Amino acid sequence: MNNHLLALGDFSQETLRSLIDRAIALKAERKRGVRHQVLAGRTICLLFEKPSTRTRVSFEAAMYGLGGQVIFMSAKESQLGRGEPLKDTARVLSRYVDAIVVRTFGQHVVEELARYATVPVINALTDLYHPCQVLSDLMTVLEMKKTLDGVKCVWIGDGNNMANAWIEAASIFGFPLTLACPAGFGPDETILAKARARSPLPIVVLRDPAEAIRGAEAVSVDVWASMGQEAEQEQRLGLFRDYQLDAALLAKAGREAIVLHCLPAHRGEEVTDEVLEGPQSVIFEQAENKMHIHAAILEHFILKGKAA
């Protein structure tokens, strides 16, 4: 039984859809003033080597909203920053908390923690995957389009951790996905090949964003230089210039397309202020949905771990 969330590819469509459906239900209940205490007496540890605003606050708000408690630790506040073996950290924290939520650089970090932990380990971002974020993105698409079946999703920009997670999602849910990435900045080839073998519909990687965006119903963008790539910022500005989502490029998708951005956004770089503030942008609904999907994830994995 898999009681860790490290990558979307580890799960069936049924399991992931149940998380999204639960998040939608929790969101509706919250708006009606319904509050749950299903995780009362439970504690999670947020172990973050990378800083965050939305991911940290949404996980904390989700856990508190379910009656639980949160311990936050940055790398400098933990033994990770002093070279303690991950297997030791995993086994110690497992005796203190009910789940470990990790935001780090290498995917190997969450994998090794999961190997030794006896509580759920949840990937809140690595350089390879960002599964929780893409689940909240899919939740937003489902809310706006009422289905995921056949919805053409488009990714424009760097083939980063978000692109990799979108590729996995497309292969699991079976929706068509097109990515437009500059040469040399495409998604992980191993992830792409595995997803294509699994997917019933095409997963296409193009160079031309104008070609990629035609017929899109959901368009996703992200910053051109992620955390840890700051030294490449100036170089990437030149290489990615033609991949900016502006009004002219968005018009090729049509008026019904929605715009997604996981934030923070560099307005005037990967996307214009006009697009982000325009009627097709759903970025703040998307940001709110992080909290609801995180609540569904915490509820599912912590209670599932108890049952196990």
Side-chain angles (χ1 to χ4, degrees):
M1 180 176 64
N2 184 9
N3 199 37
H4 306 291
L5 176 52
L6 308 184
L8 297 181
D10 296 333
F11 297 91
S12 67
Q13 179 184 145
E14 179 182 17
T15 297
L16 297 181
R17 180 57 190 263
S18 70
L19 291 174
I20 295 171
D21 289 343
R22 180 57 177 156
I24 290 172
L26 287 169
K27 181 178 182 178
E29 289 175 351
R30 186 181 182 91
K31 291 185 184 301
R32 297 197 305 269
V34 177
R35 293 292 186 268
H36 295 280
Q37 294 291 305
V38 294
L39 297 184
R42 302 303 189 95
T43 304
I44 63 170
C45 177
L46 301 186
L47 191 58
F48 281 28
E49 288 192 278
K50 285 188 172 185
S52 166
T53 298
R54 278 151 292 274
T55 301
R56 174 180 175 177
V57 175
S58 59
F59 263 111
E60 290 191 354
M63 188 62 177
Y64 289 133
L66 294 174
Q69 300 295 317
V70 180
I71 298 170
F72 176 83
M73 297 185 72
S74 66
K76 66 181 181 180
E77 295 167 328
S78 74
Q79 292 299 324
L80 286 184
R82 299 181 178 92
E84 179 179 56
L86 291 170
K87 61 184 179 181
D88 292 356
T89 298
R91 288 179 288 192
V92 169
L93 289 181
S94 293
R95 293 168 182 256
Y96 297 154
V97 301
D98 298 283
I100 307 169
V101 180
V102 187
R103 185 175 171 92
T104 187
F105 292 90
Q107 182 72 10
H108 72 278
V109 174
V110 294
E111 290 175 352
E112 186 164 358
L113 288 170
R115 187 174 302 118
Y116 290 96
T118 56
V119 297
V121 173
I122 297 167
N123 179 359
L125 176 143
T126 66
D127 288 345
L128 193 63
Y129 292 118
H130 202 348
C132 297
Q133 177 64 57
V134 171
L135 282 177
S136 66
D137 296 354
L138 293 174
M139 175 183 171
T140 309
V141 174
L142 182 60
E143 286 181 322
M144 299 299 168
K145 298 299 180 181
K146 309 307 178 187
T147 184
L148 294 175
D149 296 338
V151 176
K152 182 182 177 182
C153 297
V154 171
W155 176 268
I156 298 176
D158 189 23
N160 59 14
N161 51 5
M162 284 290 296
N164 292 335
W166 267 103
I167 288 168
E168 284 203 322
S171 73
I172 296 164
F173 285 92
F175 56 80
L177 175 67
T178 302
L179 302 97
C181 308
F185 294 90
D188 183 276
E189 290 293 340
T190 300
I191 293 170
L192 181 61
K194 185 177 180 180
R196 281 173 167 167
R198 179 179 186 175
S199 180
L201 291 176
I203 300 174
V204 180
V205 180
L206 302 174
R207 296 283 175 256
D208 183 0
E211 180 183 355
I213 204 171
R214 289 192 180 95
E217 296 173 80
V219 183
S220 294
V221 295
D222 194 8
V223 296
W224 291 338
S226 300
M227 280 178 282
Q229 299 172 333
E230 289 81 5
E232 304 173 24
Q233 178 72 22
E234 289 304 315
Q235 176 196 18
R236 286 172 175 252
L237 284 176
L239 293 171
F240 284 78
R241 195 177 312 279
D242 293 336
Y243 291 79
Q244 181 187 79
L245 183 61
D246 58 16
L249 182 58
L250 181 59
K252 297 180 185 300
R255 294 182 178 179
E256 299 304 314
I258 59 173
V259 173
L260 301 163
H261 194 309
C262 61
L263 301 177
H266 292 172
R267 295 173 184 243
E269 291 183 14
E270 74 274 4
V271 63
T272 62
D273 190 77
E274 179 185 12
V275 167
L276 282 186
E277 297 294 344
Q280 292 171 258
S281 172
V282 294
I283 61 169
F284 295 112
E285 197 74 22
Q286 177 190 2
E288 178 189 340
N289 285 344
K290 286 172 67 75
M291 177 179 64
H292 304 300
I293 203 74
H294 291 166
I297 289 168
L298 291 170
E299 179 186 70
H300 173 84
F301 283 93
I302 291 175
L303 295 183
K304 178 182 174 183
K306 179 182 179 182

